[in-house]
Amino acid sequence: MVSRSLGKAAARLANAVRPFSSRERATQFARQLKAEYEAGKRGDPADDPVADEADATTVAGSLRDIDWGKVRAATAERTTEAAEKMRAMAAEVDWGKVQPMAAQVSSALIAAVASGHLPVGGQVGGTVVRAIMNDRDLAQRVGSALHRDAQPLPPDFRAELGQVIDTTASE
């Protein structure tokens, strides 16, 4: 039942990623992303460490195949549709609660999805959305999976997202 819901959510999200024609469309995309996340959060099963690790491995595998140079080129201009999508998705992430590695992974996922280099349709779509939102620390686990497999972390796109995150703060 949960997989069917995630499949439908990923399909709706994939339809939302079509090119934006206006700021209104970008805002609509951000709202839909947030709604999909909240719907998944309400329907999530109890914590399952095996499934969580499998999700992290799946997203980490998706990141390995991305040409980050092309993503950076597609998102470099602040006026492009990809930049609009990035800002819309970034507005839905609670950056203050995200650890530095998770923030880097989330920002890279946002850039890859916004530029069209990481599709959010299919089985991986719901998991990618959960990683962007760092649901149950999924973005952090993706970063740990990359590190464990001796893979480099994806580039940090937080500057392009307009996010200034103080990683030197201490309690």
Side-chain angles (χ1 to χ4, degrees):
M1 183 69 172
V2 172
S3 63
R4 179 181 289 168
S5 299
L6 285 176
K8 287 180 181 179
R12 287 191 303 269
L13 189 59
N15 288 335
V17 178
R18 279 182 263 150
F20 294 146
S21 58
S22 67
R23 180 174 279 295
E24 181 180 312
R25 180 96 167 99
T27 303
Q28 177 188 8
F29 174 77
R31 286 186 190 131
Q32 185 170 1
L33 179 69
K34 180 78 171 191
E36 297 295 344
Y37 167 71
E38 292 298 329
K41 195 169 149 183
R42 285 189 304 274
D44 276 348
D47 287 345
D48 181 357
V50 174
D52 289 344
E53 188 59 32
D55 288 346
T57 302
T58 299
V59 175
S62 297
L63 289 174
R64 289 184 191 113
D65 299 331
I66 295 175
D67 182 341
W68 294 107
K70 289 182 180 179
V71 171
R72 189 156 309 273
T75 60
E77 289 188 39
R78 294 204 173 271
T79 58
T80 64
E81 291 177 12
E84 287 273 331
K85 290 178 189 178
M86 286 175 57
R87 285 191 294 275
M89 285 188 273
E92 300 304 320
V93 177
D94 187 356
W95 295 104
K97 293 183 179 179
V98 180
Q99 295 296 318
M101 184 189 316
Q104 184 171 341
V105 169
S106 290
S107 73
L109 286 169
I110 288 171
V113 168
S115 66
H117 288 87
L118 180 61
V120 290
Q123 295 178 334
V124 177
T127 307
V128 169
V129 172
R130 287 184 48 238
I132 287 172
M133 304 301 284
N134 197 34
D135 179 41
R136 295 186 350 220
D137 282 333
L138 183 54
Q140 183 71 31
R141 286 194 307 276
V142 169
S144 296
L146 289 169
H147 181 71
R148 180 187 64 236
D149 296 340
Q151 297 292 321
L153 283 175
D156 193 344
F157 287 85
R158 286 178 283 178
E160 287 85 345
L161 297 173
Q163 301 302 315
V164 178
I165 300 171
D166 182 10
T167 58
T168 61
S170 60
E171 294 187 20

